[in-house]
Amino acid sequence: MSALYLLIIASLLVALGFLGAFIWSVRKGHYDDDYTPSVRILLDDSEKNTAN
């Protein structure tokens, strides 16, 4: 029975670690812009290339 308690505590610690990492990444802005990277390939770069 003590092994079960140990596994529950370990799983809670791992879950809290993942939750902390998720909250940290949201606060750092890693999930702010999810639209631009998917359409960046569709944008025309010819204006930048003709200036050279």
Side-chain angles (χ1 to χ4, degrees), residues 1 7-9 12-13 15 21 27 29 33 35 38 44 50 52:
M1 196 66 171
L7 288 175
I8 289 173
I9 291 171
L12 286 175
L13 288 175
R27 288 188 182 192
D33 187 14
Y35 178 70
S38 63
D44 191 16
T50 57
N52 291 334

Side-chain angles (χ1 to χ4, degrees), residues 8-25:
I8 289 173
I9 291 171
S11 66
L12 286 175
L13 288 175
V14 169
L16 287 175
F18 278 113
L19 180 64
F22 175 73
I23 291 172
W24 173 79
S25 66

Side-chain angles (χ1 to χ4, degrees), residues 35-45:
Y35 178 70
T36 303
S38 63
V39 296
R40 187 176 295 151
I41 191 94
L42 301 175
L43 301 176
D44 191 16
D45 288 339

